[in-house]
Amino acid sequence: MREKKIPWSTIIRLSITLLGVGYLAFFKEWDQIVGAVRGANAGWLVAALVAYGVTTLLGIIRWHILLKACHAGMEWNRTAQLTMIGLFANTFMPGAMGGDLFKAVLAAKEIPHIKTTVVMSIVMERALGFIAMFIVSTILILNRFDALTTEPATKYAVALYFVVFFLVLGLMILGTRRDIGKKIPYWDRLPFQEALKEAGESYHFFIRHVACFWGGLSLSIAAHFSLLLSCWFVACALGLNLQFWDLSAVLPLIALTMLVLPSIGGLGVRELAFQHFLTYAAINKETSIALSLIFFVVTLTWGGLGGIVYLQFRSRHPEKKV
C-alpha cells in the first residue's frame, strides 16, 4: 500500500502552532500569568461561559431558520446536536472552517434528498456570520480608529482588515448575479456542473428570502455581540481596566490574524495577537496572555460539550457496509 503523505496545510499549521507555543514556553513572566489566572473572579468566568452559550444558542436558531425555509424537515434537537458537533470540530480540528465541513458531511447524510441545499445553508450561515462581524467590527474599529492606527501592530492589522472586508463584500455582491458563471473563464469546464447550478440557486434563494437573510443577519449580530461580551467578562474576571469598546475593537483584528496564520485551535497565534494588539489600550503582555488563555478555556469548554454530543451521536442514514 502507498503511504499517505501529510498535507502541506497541516504541516504549516503544526509549524505555526509549535512556533507560537515555543515562544510562550520560553516566556519569562509565567509566574505573573499564573498569578493572574489564579486570581480570576469565578462569577465573571461563569458569566463568560453563559455569554458564549448564548452565542451558540443563537447560532442554532439561525441555522434552523435556514433549514426550515428550504423544507429540510430537521428537528430542533438534531439542529442543536449538529451545531454542537461543529463547534467541537472547530475547536479541536486544524483549520478555521474544519467544523463547518464536518457539520456539512453529517448534515448531508441526515437529509440526502436535498444534500446540496443543506450544505449551502451552512455556507449561508457562515456568510451571514461574516457580514454581521464586518458590520459590527467596522463600527467598532472606526470608533477607535485614531488610537488603533498609532500603534504599528494594530495599524497594519486595520489596513489588512479593510482589504479583506472589501474583498468579501465584493464576492458576496457578485454572487447575487445569476449570470456570474458566464463571466468566469472556463466555468463550463468545471466538474459537477449540476451541483454548482443547484448551489447557485440555493444561494439566491437564501439571499432573497426575507426571514433567512434579515432574520439570520439579526441573529448573527446578536451572536457576535454576545461573543464580544464573553471575552470582556473574562477581562472583568482578571480585574483589567479595559473598556468593552477598546477590547471589542481589537478582537476582529485578532480573529483575522488567526485566519491569516492558521494554527491548531489558534494556539500560540491568538496569545501573540492579544499581546501585541492590546498594547494600544495600555494592557501589559502578561495580563493579555492570561486573558487569551482563559478565553480559550471558555471556548474549549463549549467545544468539549460538543465532543460529548458527538460521542452520543448516531446517524439516521448510516453507510452500508460492503
Side-chain angles (χ1 to χ4, degrees):
M1 293 179 66
R2 193 170 63 179
E3 294 183 2
K4 291 184 178 179
K5 293 183 178 180
I6 301 175
W8 275 105
S9 58
T10 303
I11 294 173
I12 291 171
R13 290 189 184 100
L14 284 170
S15 301
I16 293 173
T17 304
L18 290 173
L19 286 171
V21 172
Y23 171 79
L24 293 174
F26 288 100
F27 202 75
K28 295 181 180 179
E29 290 82 6
W30 267 104
D31 54 338
Q32 297 181 35
I33 297 171
V34 172
V37 172
R38 286 179 176 175
N41 183 283
W44 282 115
L45 293 179
V46 171
L49 284 167
V50 171
Y52 199 90
V54 171
T55 300
T56 305
L57 176 61
L58 292 172
I60 292 169
I61 297 171
R62 177 182 60 195
W63 189 33
H64 195 77
I65 289 173
L66 297 175
L67 290 171
K68 189 175 180 180
C70 63
H71 306 288
M74 187 179 288
E75 298 88 349
W76 276 99
N77 65 327
R78 212 60 170 171
T79 306
Q81 286 177 334
L82 291 174
T83 301
M84 290 299 296
I85 291 170
L87 183 64
F88 160 70
N90 264 334
T91 305
F92 294 98
M93 286 178 63
M97 300 182 71
D100 290 333
L101 295 173
F102 197 60
K103 185 169 73 171
V105 171
L106 293 177
K109 289 181 179 179
E110 290 289 300
I111 314 171
H113 60 286
I114 51 169
K115 185 185 298 185
T116 306
T117 304
V118 170
V119 173
M120 281 306 298
S121 72
I122 298 173
V123 174
M124 190 64 198
E125 187 192 15
R126 173 65 74 160
L128 289 170
F130 272 122
I131 295 172
M133 186 193 74
F134 280 124
I135 290 173
V136 175
S137 300
T138 301
I139 294 170
L140 293 170
I141 288 172
L142 291 176
N143 187 44
R144 293 289 190 270
F145 188 79
D146 290 338
L148 286 169
T149 51
T150 55
E151 291 288 336
T154 49
K155 179 181 179 180
Y156 293 117
V158 167
L160 179 62
Y161 168 84
F162 281 107
V163 169
V164 175
F165 170 76
F166 286 114
L167 281 174
V168 172
L169 184 65
L171 287 172
M172 294 199 70
I173 292 172
L174 285 173
T176 59
R177 296 186 58 179
R178 290 188 176 275
D179 60 342
I180 187 63
K182 298 177 182 178
K183 308 290 184 181
I184 301 174
Y186 307 109
W187 178 266
D188 294 334
R189 298 184 185 181
L190 292 175
F192 311 111
Q193 284 292 320
E194 263 324 296
L196 288 171
K197 183 180 178 182
E198 188 178 344
E201 290 173 353
S202 299
Y203 178 77
H204 290 119
F205 168 77
F206 287 128
I207 208 81
R208 286 175 170 80
H209 195 286
V210 175
C212 286
F213 185 79
W214 294 108
L217 184 60
S218 300
L219 288 168
S220 297
I221 290 174
H224 190 64
F225 265 113
S226 184
L227 182 66
L228 297 176
L229 276 173
S230 178
C231 191
W232 185 64
F233 288 155
V234 174
C236 292
L238 291 169
L240 300 185
N241 184 23
L242 184 61
Q243 293 185 17
F244 172 77
W245 306 111
D246 287 331
L247 176 61
S248 299
V250 299
L251 286 179
L253 304 180
I254 293 169
L256 182 62
T257 303
M258 291 167 62
L259 190 65
V260 174
L261 298 172
S263 64
I264 298 174
L267 197 60
V269 174
R270 177 184 49 253
E271 284 69 40
L272 290 173
F274 266 93
Q275 175 188 334
H276 289 289
F277 292 163
L278 281 178
T279 53
Y280 100 102
I283 302 298
N284 63 48
K285 55 187 177 182
E286 293 80 23
T287 49
S288 296
I289 292 174
L291 170 60
S292 174
L293 290 173
I294 294 179
F295 186 57
F296 177 58
V297 171
V298 170
T299 62
L300 204 65
T301 301
W302 279 96
L305 291 174
I308 295 172
V309 173
Y310 177 60
L311 291 174
Q312 303 296 322
F313 182 80
R314 296 293 181 271
S315 178
R316 293 178 181 175
H317 302 279
E319 294 180 359
K320 294 180 179 179
K321 294 182 179 180
V322 179

